[in-house]
Amino acid sequence: MNPICRCRRMLHWCAILSVALMLIGPLVLRAANGATITYRRVFKGSNPEFIEIKIGEDGSAAYDIRQLTEDPDPQPFQVSDTVRAKIFELAGELHNFEGLDLDVHRKIADLGQKTFHYEKGAEVHETHYNYTLDRTAMQLALVFEGLFQQQRDLITLEQRLKYDRLGVNDALHQFEQDLGQHTIPEPERLLPVLDRIGADSRVVDVARQLSRALAERIRTSGSPEGAVPQPASNHP
């Protein structure tokens, strides 16, 4: 190949590569530098004993719900931008947990060790507590606990519908109870499984009716997506 043509071709590909790097570079940088907030609760003897939820600024989210004797098994799940923004807002009010001591340091019942963890590149902050009086921390924990309840109810309903249709009604009543506490951030995430239950003739009629009623309740509740519950009390 003519040296001049070879040079022109090299310049052409270098120009294309430069443009590609200009377009992809900010996305790679964002993914590398995006912060992640993790909530963990460990409570031996409870069911489940281990809860861990990770929320990333880049849109990623994962949960791990299990007993301590079980192997870690984090699973991806969907969280709206509204809930994600609220989590990072509350964490920001807590200075991303830097040098933060939340525990009341009193002799009270073991309520399980809670952990807030913030990580962004080399910046890492973490705090642990059994019980706190800090209302912002309580509010943030309630959001994560709500996400846990939401995923637990979703998993249970999916499994019962697939493997134990006679147990669907009990699972629906548990979800109804959780829904009534107004702590589930995004109950609309359960609408697909509720609709499937309501239309499945293999499920007992009382469960189908309850499923349709719950779905209608969610659709007509008018609750803003990602509504964050407020702590009810400052006392354990």
Side-chain angles (χ1 to χ4, degrees):
M1 181 183 292
N2 187 298
I4 295 178
C5 293
R6 184 183 297 112
C7 183
R8 288 176 176 173
R9 178 168 293 184
M10 289 179 62
L11 290 173
H12 173 74
W13 283 110
C14 285
I16 293 176
L17 180 60
S18 297
V19 172
L21 288 173
M22 288 175 63
L23 294 174
I24 298 173
L27 299 178
V28 174
L29 184 62
R30 180 185 176 189
N33 294 336
T36 300
I37 294 176
T38 302
Y39 171 77
R40 185 183 307 115
R41 172 162 60 84
V42 179
F43 194 178
K44 292 182 180 179
S46 64
N47 187 16
E49 294 179 313
F50 182 91
I51 299 166
E52 183 175 84
I53 298 176
K54 295 185 177 183
I55 306 295
E57 272 186 322
D58 60 358
S60 62
Y63 69 91
D64 192 3
I65 302 171
R66 57 185 169 85
Q67 297 302 103
L68 290 171
T69 55
E70 297 174 340
D71 294 331
D73 186 27
Q75 298 291 324
F77 75 114
Q78 299 295 317
V79 177
S80 71
D81 290 339
T82 302
V83 171
R84 180 177 291 104
K86 191 62 181 179
I87 287 172
F88 277 88
E89 176 189 336
L90 292 169
E93 293 178 15
L94 295 169
H95 307 289
N96 294 326
F97 323 127
E98 182 176 7
L100 187 63
D101 185 1
L102 291 173
D103 203 278
V104 294
H105 299 290
R106 298 176 187 169
K107 289 185 178 181
I108 61 174
D110 181 9
L111 303 174
Q113 185 185 62
K114 274 77 70 176
T115 299
F116 288 128
H117 180 93
Y118 176 91
E119 185 169 350
K120 184 175 183 180
E123 182 184 359
V124 178
H125 307 299
E126 187 172 279
T127 186
H128 311 273
Y129 69 95
N130 176 50
Y131 182 77
T132 184
L133 294 174
D134 188 296
R135 290 186 63 81
T136 302
M138 292 169 68
Q139 191 174 2
L140 181 57
L142 279 175
V143 177
F144 278 109
E145 289 286 342
L147 288 172
F148 152 65
Q149 291 177 358
Q150 182 176 302
Q151 286 305 119
R152 179 189 59 182
D153 289 337
L154 177 59
I155 293 168
T156 302
L157 286 170
E158 293 278 8
Q159 290 179 341
R160 295 286 176 85
L161 182 59
K162 187 174 183 179
Y163 301 111
D164 179 21
R165 286 188 291 274
L166 290 177
V168 168
N169 196 52
D170 289 340
L172 286 169
H173 279 293
Q174 179 60 58
F175 172 59
E176 183 180 29
Q177 179 179 332
D178 292 339
L179 188 64
Q181 294 175 350
H182 304 289
T183 56
I184 296 182
E186 301 175 291
E188 63 274 12
R189 299 283 183 188
L190 281 81
L191 284 174
V193 69
L194 291 174
D195 289 340
R196 293 204 308 274
I197 293 171
D200 195 331
S201 60
R202 298 170 300 174
V203 177
V204 295
D205 190 57
V206 64
R208 295 169 61 194
Q209 291 180 18
L210 177 56
S211 182
R212 289 193 289 264
L214 289 170
E216 182 66 16
R217 176 178 169 183
I218 292 170
R219 289 188 168 100
T220 61
S221 64
S223 299
E225 185 186 70
V228 179
Q230 298 296 321
S233 172
N234 281 339
H235 301 288

